[in-house]
Amino acid sequence: DRDVRTQVIGRIQSLYGVSPEYLWSSSPGQRSIPNTENGKWFGVLMRVSAEKLPPAQGNGTGGTEFVNILNLKCEPELAAALAAGKRGIFPAYHMNKTHWISVCLNGSVSEEELNSLIELSFELTGV
């Protein structure tokens, strides 16, 4: 889980030349990822309790374990379709659920699909 998070950070750094920024010093597991063109967030890395996620998401325990997620901006129609039918993707945790999705970084979403969603989010926030 943490390895996937580290890989995602490395991929974003190499593709977009940006490092995640800490949102709060008291919560180092939460980081925003700004678009280099305008400073708007295109991603938010979060570490949340599995019990706060929709059933059957995250690590599936629904207990007190923590799950790494990446919130990404998404087109509303695609966000709804992904959230309705894909394990590991759901309406964004703690953000606008129409325009953002959460992706569990636990291997339930393929690397290819995750990369595609990161790219889309970067493009949508560059406008």
Side-chain angles (χ1 to χ4, degrees):
D1 200 32
R2 190 167 293 283
D3 289 340
V4 174
R5 182 181 168 108
T6 302
Q7 290 171 357
V8 167
I9 291 171
R11 196 173 311 125
I12 288 170
Q13 288 172 326
S14 69
L15 288 173
Y16 304 108
V18 63
S19 294
E21 300 172 347
Y22 290 103
L23 293 171
W24 306 281
S25 60
S26 63
S27 188
Q30 323 306 0
R31 299 185 195 183
S32 65
I33 307 167
N35 188 309
T36 52
E37 296 174 11
N38 56 23
K40 291 181 184 177
W41 294 357
F42 74 93
V44 180
L45 278 164
M46 302 180 87
R47 189 160 168 75
V48 299
S49 173
E51 65 189 8
K52 294 183 178 180
L53 301 180
Q57 296 295 340
N59 61 11
T61 67
T64 58
E65 300 216 10
F66 282 82
V67 178
N68 288 306
I69 62 172
L70 176 61
N71 286 351
L72 296 167
K73 188 145 190 180
C74 193
E75 296 164 330
E77 300 80 20
L78 178 59
L82 289 171
K86 185 102 175 126
R87 178 166 164 70
I89 300 176
F90 50 95
Y93 173 76
H94 205 61
M95 294 183 80
N96 181 304
K97 293 173 183 1
T98 301
H99 297 278
W100 290 81
I101 56 172
S102 288
V103 180
C104 286
L105 300 180
N106 63 359
S108 58
V109 176
S110 74
E111 184 177 330
E112 182 180 337
E113 185 169 18
L114 178 59
N115 288 342
S116 177
L117 293 169
I118 290 170
E119 182 179 340
L120 175 61
S121 185
F122 185 84
E123 291 171 4
L124 289 173
T125 58
V127 179

